[in-house]
Amino acid sequence: MAFRRTGLRRVAVVGAGMTKFVRRAQETAQELAFHASRLALDSCGLRIQDIGAVCLGTAPDAFDGVHMNGEYLSDGAGAYGKPFMRAYVGGGTGVFSVIQGWYHVASGLFDAVLVVCEEKMSSCLPHPQAAFLTIFDHTTERPLKPNLLWIFALEMNRYMQKYGLSKKDIARVAVKNKRNAMDHPAAQLAAEITVEDVLNSEVLAWPVQRLDVSPTSDGAVAVILASEDAAKRITDKPVWIKSVGWCLDSAYWTNRDLSYPEYVERAARMAYEMAGIKEPRKEIHIVEPYDPFDYKELHHLEGLLLAPKGEAPRLLAEGVFDRDGDLPATPSGGLLGVGNPIAAAGLMKVAELFWQLRGEAGKRQVPGNPRTGLAQAWGDLMQVGTVAILGV
Amino acid sequence: MPLDKLSHPQQARAWFDNIPIQNQYTVGIAGEVFFRGLMDGKLLAAHCQECGRTFLPPTLYCGNCFSTSGEWREIVPHGVIDTFTVVHLDLEDNRLEQPELIALVRFEGCEGGLIHRLGEIDAAQVEVGMPVEVVFRPPQEREGSILDIAHVRPLTKS
């Protein structure tokens, strides 16, 4: 794989903060961004004057109902008077914004960068999904009036058919993640539910049912990245960004293998190669895969090469992905449990690794002193994989 | 189809649709205070106790030092025209019978300012630097909107 390996500086995460994820926040989008940014700065004792540049992530402008939403949010993200850039790769934005922050620092341009992701989906009526009605090809698909659930239903069914999986095999992800979220103070949909609850929930577009899906949410998350020298001045416990990777598949979903996210594998291989990881299943101790739907977590664990193709459900049933399992997956509670303010949800996964690898995750703490973690998000036209590997 | 074969745009096969969304905007934490103030006929600004700056419209955070703006201050509703324009067309491209005067008004001691309509004056008489005052709608007509301010007008001498 062709990417630069030399001349890049080491980059650490040195601080993190997040708002609660809620169904409808009274705060404006700018105020949500401010709360998360302020918490991240306070977590490592920095002032806004110490920040060299701001990287911001937010998903479609239509959610907040503000065109040029990145610029609108910039004051709340502390970007006033600073170099500023918004990243947008749909649902993959949360992890990509960290990749963007990483190259701002790795390149040598900046010593400290504030990365902020915000989403306020509640403002979008009648439902944020309406913002996605126009992602489909306007002549070959839109006359059929497709919505986003069609993609997930077709993908989930293809995955189930290919490997002979049942709905029950997949529902266990929703049960695990909503239970993990019970220990997250910012969680929106934490719950003790059963596989039967999932199977009995309202059918939306078969095989997708209500409890297979993450909620719409409002919230913001921020992290602070620093160069090696700066990180060592700021904290005794820097969490290094060991590597990053991202990859885009065809814009036409008809041209993709819907049972396997090839683009996630490519993004993961880039990150593993950059980090010198040869055996991901042994060298990754904790993983936060993107879980907007329960089957997506399994899909992504396979794409990340952390489970053989079609076998993530079996490993899940064996408890491998439990918080005290061999490879804890989504110990935060994820999008299914903590909530899914799109860009902020992806960055929440990076923040979770930061807390987990520093041993600061409280009741969510994964046992056994995990030293290496992977966060992944997915998005654009359901075709981008974004990966960051963190370690201590 | 090669571009040069089309003699009229109507010949290009086309398809019409729209993005069907509406948005509901919360005024936010600082906005709740500001707009309730307007209903009471008051201009409220946010004051940063860290660096001493005062912001109008108010924000929850200080744009300078990024602290939480901790204090609210009522501003005397007298300002100065910083710049203005005379609008002749509406959003549908209709020529306005009565052109609309729009001004940026700044207030002493405040960062920021208000964009609003200028009334009770002819366009020919407006000058940058002119002192103006805020005119609120009658209390029963206020609904917690920026339009609770009817307009700004030249400051009366009294």
Side-chain angles (χ1 to χ4, degrees), chain A residues 275-348:
Chain A
I277 289 175
K278 303 269 191 294
E279 295 184 87
R281 289 195 65 193
K282 290 182 184 161
E283 296 176 67
I284 299 295
H285 305 145
I286 172 173
V287 59
E288 279 280 342
Y290 206 59
D291 63 320
F293 289 72
D294 46 10
Y295 82 95
K296 283 310 284 190
E297 172 159 324
L298 303 167
H299 221 142
H300 291 149
L301 286 166
E302 293 172 15
L304 294 168
L305 311 175
L306 297 174
K309 287 182 183 178
E311 290 190 35
R314 177 179 59 79
L315 297 174
L316 173 72
E318 290 171 1
V320 169
F321 302 129
D322 288 347
R323 192 180 279 153
D324 57 358
D326 201 37
L327 177 56
T330 320
S332 64
L335 283 54
L336 288 162
V338 186
N340 188 11
I342 311 289
L347 191 54
M348 179 268 286

Side-chain angles (χ1 to χ4, degrees), chain A residues 13-32:
Chain A
V13 184
V14 296
M18 70 182 285
T19 69
K20 284 189 173 185
F21 287 0
V22 296
R23 174 68 188 88
R24 188 182 301 284
Q26 183 184 10
E27 285 80 1
T28 62
Q30 293 168 323
E31 289 171 343
L32 289 171

Side-chain angles (χ1 to χ4, degrees), chain A residues 78-243:
Chain A
Y80 179 78
K82 296 186 192 301
F84 171 79
M85 181 174 272
R86 172 194 185 178
Y88 176 47
V89 289
T93 299
V95 172
F96 188 78
S97 63
V98 168
I99 296 174
Q100 182 187 229
W102 169 83
Y103 57 67
H104 273 60
V105 178
S107 63
L109 268 182
F110 301 102
D111 285 329
V113 167
L114 173 62
V115 178
V116 187
C117 285
E118 182 278 347
E119 216 71 64
K120 189 163 186 191
M121 300 172 75
S122 68
S123 65
C124 193
L125 302 176
H127 189 280
Q129 170 153 192
F132 292 110
L133 293 177
T134 48
I135 66 170
F136 299 93
D137 187 284
H138 53 65
T139 43
T140 60
E141 292 168 353
R142 271 169 59 192
L144 300 169
K145 301 194 183 300
N147 68 36
L148 211 49
L149 281 169
W150 289 28
I151 294 181
F152 306 122
L154 292 168
E155 213 176 62
M156 183 169 171
N157 197 14
R158 185 75 206 127
Y159 179 55
M160 289 167 62
Q161 292 297 320
K162 178 149 183 181
Y163 300 111
L165 305 171
S166 69
K167 284 272 306 173
K168 194 175 164 184
D169 296 325
I170 289 171
R172 289 194 186 94
V173 174
V175 175
K176 169 178 71 73
N177 291 3
K178 287 180 189 292
R179 182 191 296 134
N180 284 350
M182 296 288 282
D183 297 323
H184 203 306
Q188 176 185 350
L189 271 190
E192 285 285 358
I193 60 167
T194 63
V195 165
E196 282 65 40
D197 291 332
V198 180
L199 301 185
N200 292 332
S201 64
E202 179 189 8
V203 177
L204 304 178
W206 183 259
V208 175
Q209 292 175 263
R210 174 72 64 188
L211 290 178
D212 293 312
V213 190
S214 57
T216 59
S217 313
D218 294 353
V221 181
V223 301
I224 292 166
L225 309 186
S227 64
E228 185 163 10
D229 286 351
K232 286 177 176 169
R233 283 197 301 274
I234 294 166
T235 178
D236 295 333
K237 293 198 286 184
V239 175
W240 303 102
I241 299 180
K242 297 178 69 137
S243 66

Side-chain angles (χ1 to χ4, degrees), chain A residues 1-8 102 106-107 270 274:
Chain A
M1 204 174 283
F3 55 80
R4 183 172 176 173
R5 293 171 184 75
T6 56
L8 296 170
W102 169 83
S107 63
M270 175 176 170
M274 195 183 295

Side-chain angles (χ1 to χ4, degrees), chain B residues 101-114:
Chain B
L101 283 161
I102 298 290
L104 167 58
V105 179
R106 296 207 190 273
F107 297 83
E108 194 180 343
C110 287
E111 311 260 326
L114 289 179

